[in-house]
Amino acid sequence: MARIFYSSALIFISPLIVFYLYILRGKKNQGYRAHFKERFGFISKSLFTTKTKPLVFHCASVGEVLAATPLIKALQKAHPNLNILITCNTPTGRKQILSQFKNTVACSYLPIDFPFATARFLKRIKPQALCILETELWPNLMAISHKKNIPVLVINARLSEKSQQGYQKVAKLTHIIMRSITVLASHNKADAERFIQLGLETSKSHVTGSIKFDITPSDEQLAKVLNLKQLYNSNKHNNDERFVWVAGSTHPVEHELILAAHQQLLKKQPNALLIIAPRHPEQFDKVAELLTQSPLSFSRRSQNNYSNEQVVLADTLGELQCLYGAANVSFIGGSLIRRGGHNPLESAAFSVGVITGPHTYNFDHVYPELIKLKGAVMVDSNDELAKQLITFSQNTKACHTLGIKAAQCVAKNQGAIQKTLNIINQYLEPKP
């Protein structure tokens, strides 16, 4: 009954969903209008050229794709003939999939969770298993998969206390979700216990750690970081080394706070450089307008015309990790405002220390450890951010040590990919 009510409510508001995705989001980003039939389960069968059933990975957007990439590539290495379909919800997620995997995997949008769309999707692709990253727990997708005896593996699973309270408010629907999970691989015991309290059978729960810690810069990335450092770390007028900080994955309101902090830093360190990377592409032009109205000089990364400006607007996709690597220190966005923060490990893996605001609930499985091991510091405001930046710009040894501690934290917590692979391997169908 709970799922019937949920599905009915979803169908009732379907015109609003379509209007939001196709009209509102599509106006800002044409990618939302492309492949729109996939939102209703019309997945092209031409995606698969063999009769082997695909393994499906669902990654909501860019962050999940980046987290899953090392895992999926390890799986491809172990099973070269395995058909893999990666689904996502956003155009930026889709671009990241194509960037990371080229034509070695199939790619599509996950259908909206209408029962007819999900049933059509599963009937067309006939997956051998469904791997869901983190907490993308769609009731119809999971319930119908369970009914069709398709294993549902929730991997890299996390569940904050706030999210748990939300699921408890729809207990009957949550029970359906928990019953549909075949196996759950969680970040830690606390996350696992929250799922169990929601109704997951204890025997289905495994603690594997977070695969986001299993991030190792590639040779290609390290070469690019070296080039970026040569480009940005020296003042072309006097050859002095610059203090470079990256503000990654920033949001509206936060953009202004970041620019204000940089102006305070410049009073003490006139040679400092800020590289600001907005979280969403539709914010690129808006941040450019903010910069135009400010006293700061800036260039756009996409135009490749840097000439010693005070700010670089990183208006490109897929470069953020390498930009972090070129910095002295990073600030991770979504944390000075109540957005819950973003992944600090992309910076830490390059031995670049992290500054964060107070709102980090999306990464409660990462920040406590990172701060405990002194690879990150927390500030409560843009004024505190400016003070911390000034401190690091004047004490390069402390800044360097922060980066070393951040990298040590990453290394200490690695190993989740192999544990997760061991679980996935149990649900792969034998070769024909």
Side-chain angles (χ1 to χ4, degrees):
M1 183 61 72
R3 193 160 71 89
I4 292 174
F5 180 80
Y6 162 78
S7 299
S8 299
L10 204 59
I11 292 170
F12 180 75
I13 65 170
S14 60
L16 293 176
I17 296 173
V18 172
F19 178 78
Y20 173 73
L21 288 174
Y22 195 85
I23 304 299
L24 294 184
R25 297 305 298 267
K27 185 177 181 180
K28 295 179 180 178
N29 185 337
Q30 290 291 321
Y32 277 94
R33 295 179 178 178
H35 310 285
F36 203 70
K37 288 184 178 180
E38 293 176 356
R39 306 281 190 182
F40 298 91
F42 291 101
I43 309 298
S44 174
K45 293 182 180 179
S46 65
L47 288 174
F48 306 102
T49 56
T50 71
K51 295 181 180 179
T52 308
K53 294 180 180 180
L55 177 67
V56 176
F57 280 87
H58 177 59
C59 306
S61 192
V62 174
E64 290 77 14
V65 173
L66 288 172
T69 293
L71 171 67
I72 296 172
K73 288 187 175 180
L75 194 63
Q76 288 179 311
K77 185 176 181 180
H79 305 278
N81 297 320
L82 180 65
N83 277 338
I84 295 176
L85 168 64
I86 305 178
T87 62
C88 61
N89 299 334
T90 67
T92 51
R94 194 180 191 110
K95 284 184 179 179
Q96 193 63 240
I97 293 168
L98 297 174
S99 172
Q100 294 289 340
F101 296 97
K102 306 298 188 285
N103 61 349
T104 66
V105 302
C107 171
S108 78
Y109 287 127
L110 186 76
I112 302 167
D113 204 37
F114 303 127
F116 58 86
T118 295
R120 182 183 295 119
F121 169 78
L122 294 173
K123 183 178 180 180
R124 286 191 171 216
I125 65 172
K126 298 180 174 62
Q128 53 182 293
L130 175 63
C131 299
I132 299 174
L133 265 289
E134 300 190 2
T135 49
E136 277 283 298
L137 308 179
W138 295 104
N140 283 322
L141 174 66
M142 299 177 72
I144 296 173
S145 295
H146 179 65
K147 186 176 180 181
K148 290 179 175 290
N149 294 316
I150 298 169
V152 177
L153 318 180
V154 182
I155 58 179
N156 211 42
R158 60 186 176 90
L159 190 67
S160 66
E161 290 183 15
K162 183 178 179 181
S163 295
Q164 182 188 21
Q165 291 168 5
Y167 280 110
Q168 287 171 336
K169 292 177 182 178
V170 286
K172 291 184 178 180
L173 195 62
T174 297
H175 180 71
I176 293 172
I177 293 172
M178 295 301 128
R179 189 178 60 197
S180 301
I181 295 173
T182 306
V183 65
L184 179 134
S186 66
H187 287 164
N188 52 45
K189 290 181 180 179
D191 285 306
E193 186 57 36
R194 292 186 190 109
F195 279 100
I196 291 169
Q197 289 172 2
L198 290 176
L200 180 73
E201 290 181 23
T202 304
S203 60
K204 294 181 177 181
S205 174
H206 302 265
V207 176
T208 56
S210 172
I211 64 174
K212 288 186 176 180
F213 280 100
D214 284 17
I215 178 173
T216 303
S218 66
D219 291 341
E220 182 182 358
Q221 286 178 317
L222 292 173
K224 184 169 184 177
V225 165
L226 184 61
N227 289 333
L228 288 169
K229 284 184 175 181
Q230 291 173 346
L231 176 63
Y232 293 129
N233 282 52
S234 63
N235 189 314
K236 295 180 181 179
H237 299 313
N238 57 24
N239 292 323
D240 289 342
E241 186 171 327
R242 306 185 76 177
F243 177 77
V244 180
W245 68 292
V246 172
S249 296
T250 58
H251 291 263
V253 178
E254 202 168 40
H255 306 317
E256 292 89 333
L257 298 175
I258 296 299
L259 298 183
H262 189 54
Q263 290 181 65
Q264 291 185 55
L265 172 63
L266 288 171
K267 292 176 182 178
K268 297 290 185 179
Q269 294 289 343
N271 204 23
L273 171 66
L274 162 64
I275 302 175
I276 183 169
R279 177 68 176 177
H280 299 113
E282 53 263 35
Q283 292 295 320
F284 292 162
D285 289 341
K286 294 178 181 179
V287 176
E289 182 61 27
L290 286 174
L291 284 163
T292 300
Q293 295 172 3
S294 79
L296 297 165
S297 62
F298 78 100
S299 63
R300 298 182 70 140
R301 173 72 182 152
S302 62
Q303 295 176 0
N304 199 27
N305 61 351
Y306 171 71
S307 183
N308 211 52
E309 287 83 6
Q310 295 166 318
V311 179
V312 172
L313 171 57
D315 56 348
T316 55
L317 296 176
E319 286 195 309
L320 183 54
Q321 287 186 24
C322 291
L323 290 171
Y324 281 141
N328 295 93
V329 71
S330 67
F331 169 80
I332 310 300
S335 60
L336 278 178
I337 58 172
R338 295 180 182 276
R339 292 301 296 263
H342 295 290
N343 187 5
L345 300 177
E346 293 173 355
S347 173
F350 285 89
S351 299
V352 175
V354 169
I355 304 174
T356 180
H359 307 292
T360 60
Y361 53 82
N362 287 337
F363 286 85
D364 281 346
H365 58 292
V366 172
Y367 271 111
E369 180 80 353
L370 194 58
I371 292 172
K372 178 183 175 182
L373 295 179
K374 299 182 179 179
V377 293
M378 184 176 289
V379 297
D380 289 330
S381 65
N382 64 310
D383 287 335
E384 280 196 24
L385 171 61
K387 291 177 182 177
Q388 189 65 68
L389 289 167
I390 292 168
T391 297
F392 283 138
S393 71
Q394 295 174 342
N395 188 343
T396 55
K397 183 178 179 180
C399 189
H400 181 65
T401 300
L402 187 79
I404 291 174
K405 296 292 186 182
Q408 289 173 347
C409 177
V410 173
K412 179 184 176 183
N413 289 278
Q414 290 184 336
I417 283 182
Q418 188 56 54
K419 293 176 184 177
T420 306
L421 282 177
N422 292 341
I423 291 172
I424 293 174
N425 285 334
Q426 298 175 40
Y427 296 92
L428 294 180
E429 294 185 356
K431 296 178 182 178

